[in-house]
Amino acid sequence: MKFELRQFPAKEESIYKTLYIKRSLADHIEEIASENNTSFNNVVISMIESCLKEE
């Protein structure tokens, strides 16, 4: 599945959530973030938004 990193839109109301994920998955997400000069959070949100669009 291909996803596009989102651009930072105007600020929307946000909340904090905690996720428990495997270290290997977190490491992979960190690699993607580093390669794209963005944050871990931006990669995760981009992936979630991409998956939700496909429904």
Side-chain angles (χ1 to χ4, degrees):
M1 172 186 329
K2 184 74 174 162
F3 70 97
E4 293 182 30
L5 290 172
R6 68 185 179 105
Q7 300 300 312
F8 293 100
K11 290 284 185 178
E12 289 184 39
E13 181 182 0
S14 299
I15 61 170
Y16 289 99
K17 291 291 183 180
T18 302
L19 299 172
Y20 292 92
I21 61 176
K22 295 178 188 175
R23 181 175 302 274
S24 60
L25 180 56
D27 291 344
H28 193 170
I29 294 169
E30 286 285 1
E31 288 176 23
I32 294 169
S34 178
E35 290 168 1
N36 290 279
N37 195 32
T38 192
S39 68
F40 180 97
N41 189 69
N42 190 36
V43 174
V44 172
I45 297 303
S46 296
M47 289 176 168
I48 292 170
E49 288 177 344
S50 178
C51 288
L52 292 174
K53 282 183 197 174
E54 293 181 8
E55 289 186 342

